[in-house]
Amino acid sequence: MKYTSAKAWLAEAVQRQTTLSEVEISNRKAMAAAHYAQENITPDAETLADHDLYILGKMDLEEYEQYLLLKHGHNK
């Protein structure tokens, strides 16, 4: 892994171009909204920003999982 902190990883990732079509982004947004409603949760701004990394195609699922492990793991 080339990132030493989740903050650095996030800063780099948000600068990336999306890899998805508008249709796929809309589908991912709808799935996230349905999940929030089903679980009766209201994510905070930081969590929404993290979710957008995957929803907007800035990270694929594997990279997103690694990012979350760095951010929330024991390597803070």
Side-chain angles (χ1 to χ4, degrees):
M1 178 183 336
K2 66 180 182 177
Y3 301 99
T4 57
S5 74
K7 186 175 180 178
W9 201 339
L10 174 65
E12 188 273 330
V14 297
Q15 299 301 315
R16 298 176 186 169
Q17 297 296 317
T18 185
T19 59
L20 304 174
S21 69
E22 288 299 319
V23 171
E24 181 61 23
I25 291 170
S26 293
N27 289 341
R28 288 182 180 193
K29 285 181 180 182
M31 287 190 320
H35 171 73
Y36 303 149
Q38 180 180 354
E39 299 299 323
N40 196 30
I41 57 175
T42 304
D44 60 28
E46 182 178 353
T47 301
L48 287 172
D50 285 346
H51 291 177
D52 275 349
L53 295 172
Y54 175 73
I55 290 170
L56 299 176
K58 307 272 182 169
M59 291 182 177
D60 64 22
L61 190 55
E62 184 178 333
E63 182 183 12
Y64 182 64
E65 289 171 343
Q66 293 301 312
Y67 163 76
L68 291 177
L69 282 172
L70 177 61
K71 182 174 182 176
H72 298 292
H74 300 289
N75 301 332
K76 289 184 179 179

